[in-house]
Amino acid sequence: MRCCFPAPLAALAGIPGPCEVLRSGALLAPALLRAASAARARLPHHQTVSAVHLELVTLTEDRAIITWYTGVPGTDDGFGHMLPAVTEGEVVYGTHPGRLNRVAGEDRLTAHHHVELTGLEPGQTYYYQARSRGVAARPTTLHLVRGNAAGTSRHGLGSLGGPYSFTTPQPPPGSHLMTLALCNDLHLGETIAGLVTGIPLLRGVTQQPGLEPYPEIMSRALVAEARRRGADLLLAAGDISAGGAPQDLADARRILDGFGTHGEDYFVVRGNHDRPGSGAGEGSDTFRRGFGGEDEPGYFARDLGGLRLIGLDTYEKPGNGADSGGLGAEQLSWFRSRLRENREQPTLVFGHHPLFVRDSLFPVGAGQRMGRRQAREIVEAYAATPGVFLHHAGHTHRNKRTLLPHAPHVALQEVGAAKEYPGGFGLLRIHTGGYALNFFKARTTEALEWGERSRRMAGGLWPHHALGRAVTDRNSVVFRDLSGIRRPALPSLAVADPTG
């Protein structure tokens, strides 16, 4: 099953323009050649273990999560990737680069290291070094997007192991109201991640023989981690299935039901892979049958203790899934009307297709975003609706935070896919004086193993696209007045009529 990124080359509406192709080609061609060369090379190494792919994944006001991989030097699994070296891992850290006097470790031996630093002070700069068997871990390089995977400053970059540096943010002011998990692109039923037809190096990645399908592993781990992190609600922004098959949607429903009750504890909207007719013949809408009813619209509004939640169906149209996203005329009219009803009410919108795709490593065609005219209309509506503060989208399978000059009070947040590297979700903590949004990897053993395996998608270039070029693309804090929200009595939520 083909992944939805990039758009299928056969769909003319989704093919990027010549300028996009040339821009990305200038970046990608040398990198692809280097990746191919690395896949053939098996260089000896004087160390007994190599510690690589260091990433500062999560950064809150009082904690940081750091991950890396240990492999056997000189080995190759056929994808230019070292075979795993199971060993210990620890992070030494402190407030001065020459005095790393605190230690955080793991409770098991592994090749897929996941260390959480806790008890940090807000607004404090910390220096750290991650290591296994005394070997310092080296960061994931993000030179193609001028990014930094290891810290919030360039301290330590270019060295052989740091220390690297980050500064914790201030927490959002006021009292905590609720926590929401934001996720997308589960792709239940998919068997090959990152497959792009016609490009030999981009052959896709499959699960190891004998293991469970990776979409099920990642989706279950996401649900468990969201619960463990204290999420009250979960929002799944489309591409729940790989092709709209009834069984895949039933499997997705079963997994998401592990979080709670659909329509009360979690909410789901359609993606282009869930489009009508894609799973059981023309005219069939298996997605609506799986999550609602065929006579119900795929868009809705909910009032959660004063927080207005709006879910959009961004592929409410006929098509093969590779063209731009779009709202039907009735839905667009309904959406504008809802925004006008109470312009000041704190509002969160989520849907599958992003309004715009900025700063992408890969060529951007129409199939990667909403139609331009509708996107502009929605941004104009946001500009006149000061209560809207966040628009969550998936589809691009990357972490990216965008602010638009025309509606600067709205953050457009793309969240990395649940089903592959970096494999996780965003956790939105809403306070009376603002909010914090942090990305967490799904952290079961099987999920971390698949996350590492799937990072080699796109000829090994996937981290440049998916992780987020800066820590702030996946971790942010915004100060604003959200005191109009009160903590709802979950799961008894007031329901707004989606057609009214």
Side-chain angles (χ1 to χ4, degrees):
M1 180 63 66
R2 183 186 295 114
C3 173
C4 70
F5 181 91
L9 300 181
L12 294 179
I15 294 179
C19 292
E20 276 288 339
V21 173
L22 289 174
R23 182 191 68 80
S24 293
L27 289 172
L28 294 176
L32 285 170
L33 290 174
R34 285 197 300 270
S37 175
R40 293 192 298 268
R42 299 192 181 199
L43 301 178
H45 202 289
H46 69 279
Q47 297 172 335
T48 59
V49 67
S50 183
V52 294
H53 304 161
L54 177 71
E55 293 168 0
L56 175 61
V57 178
T58 309
L59 182 63
T60 77
E61 65 273 13
D62 63 358
R63 69 190 58 226
I65 296 178
I66 296 161
T67 65
W68 69 99
Y69 175 75
T70 46
V72 179
T75 62
D76 189 333
D77 65 356
F79 286 86
H81 189 268
M82 291 182 294
L83 295 174
V86 177
T87 185
E88 77 282 355
E90 67 175 10
V91 174
V92 292
Y93 62 106
T95 56
H96 188 279
R99 191 167 57 255
L100 307 182
N101 52 5
R102 300 170 67 177
V103 182
E106 297 173 289
D107 58 3
R108 62 188 178 90
L109 302 180
T110 182
H112 307 87
H113 304 277
H114 185 287
V115 174
E116 186 164 353
L117 314 183
T118 60
L120 305 181
E121 298 177 19
Q124 175 67 56
T125 297
Y126 291 90
Y127 301 85
Y128 77 95
Q129 185 179 69
R131 59 195 187 193
S132 293
R133 292 190 202 168
V135 176
R138 289 169 289 143
T140 292
T141 57
L142 299 179
H143 59 279
L144 292 181
V145 292
R146 297 185 180 90
N148 180 358
T152 58
S153 79
R154 296 189 59 81
H155 185 92
L157 295 185
S159 70
L160 295 178
Y164 307 102
S165 171
F166 62 82
T167 300
T168 53
Q170 294 293 335
S175 58
H176 174 255
L177 297 169
M178 67 179 78
T179 299
L180 288 73
L182 312 180
C183 67
N184 42 264
D185 296 279
L186 282 64
H187 284 233
L188 268 295
E190 184 178 281
T191 57
I192 304 177
L195 177 64
V196 182
T197 303
I199 305 179
L201 281 173
L202 308 187
R203 56 181 171 171
V205 181
T206 59
Q207 179 62 287
Q208 296 185 67
L211 297 183
E212 284 188 282
Y214 60 85
E216 295 186 21
I217 288 174
M218 300 303 289
S219 297
R220 282 200 306 270
L222 182 156
V223 166
E225 187 70 4
R227 273 297 187 201
R228 196 175 77 85
R229 296 288 175 183
D232 301 302
L233 299 161
L234 182 145
L235 310 181
D239 277 6
I240 307 305
S241 66
Q247 185 58 55
D248 296 337
L249 287 164
D251 290 341
R253 178 69 183 259
R254 171 177 49 81
I255 291 171
L256 292 172
D257 281 350
F259 186 87
T261 302
H262 175 245
E264 294 183 354
D265 302 302
Y266 75 91
F267 301 87
V268 178
V269 293
R270 185 202 310 275
N272 56 303
H273 279 246
D274 310 310
R275 63 191 179 277
S278 61
E282 195 66 31
S284 173
D285 197 334
T286 54
F287 177 79
R288 285 191 185 177
R289 285 208 307 270
F291 291 96
E294 287 197 89
D295 57 342
E296 299 176 6
Y299 51 91
F300 55 86
R302 299 289 188 273
D303 188 297
L304 312 179
L307 170 66
R308 179 168 54 185
L309 174 68
I310 298 179
L312 298 179
D313 181 346
T314 65
Y315 206 81
E316 192 186 36
K317 54 188 286 188
N320 63 5
D323 53 340
S324 61
L327 313 183
E330 184 177 337
Q331 180 182 182
L332 184 59
S333 175
W334 169 89
F335 184 39
R336 288 168 164 170
S337 175
R338 284 292 168 271
L339 293 179
R340 287 194 301 266
E341 280 179 352
N342 190 342
R343 298 182 188 275
E344 302 289 338
Q345 183 175 7
T347 301
L348 186 161
V349 181
F350 75 114
H352 186 62
H353 292 77
L355 301 181
F356 305 98
V357 178
R358 303 285 173 84
D359 305 318
S360 176
L361 173 67
F362 299 108
V364 178
Q368 294 306 306
R369 58 180 181 255
M370 291 283 287
R372 291 185 184 276
R373 177 179 294 181
Q374 281 199 356
R376 287 194 295 266
E377 291 175 350
I378 290 172
V379 171
E380 289 172 1
Y382 285 170
T385 313
V388 179
F389 65 91
L390 185 67
H391 182 119
H392 160 223
H395 192 56
T396 57
H397 296 206
R398 67 173 184 167
N399 291 310
K400 180 67 171 71
R401 179 180 175 82
T402 302
L403 297 177
L404 300 177
H406 194 53
H409 56 284
V410 184
L412 308 182
Q413 182 68 54
E414 301 163 52
V415 176
K419 58 100 174 179
E420 70 205 7
Y421 172 89
F425 61 97
L427 195 70
L428 175 66
R429 293 176 290 131
I430 298 177
H431 289 239
T432 53
Y435 67 86
L437 180 57
N438 302 103
F439 184 78
F440 288 85
K441 285 184 178 180
R443 61 165 301 183
T444 65
T445 300
E446 297 81 5
L448 292 174
E449 288 175 353
W450 170 253
E452 181 64 29
R453 184 174 177 84
S454 60
R455 72 182 293 129
R456 67 196 78 178
M457 289 163 45
L461 304 180
W462 196 244
H464 291 265
H465 170 78
L467 178 64
R469 67 175 59 192
V471 173
T472 50
D473 272 329
R474 54 189 181 272
N475 298 277
S476 57
V477 178
V478 173
F479 292 5
R480 64 175 291 162
D481 182 10
L482 297 176
S483 59
I485 303 173
R486 62 190 183 281
R487 182 167 179 83
L490 299 172
S492 300
L493 304 176
V495 178
D497 180 1
T499 60

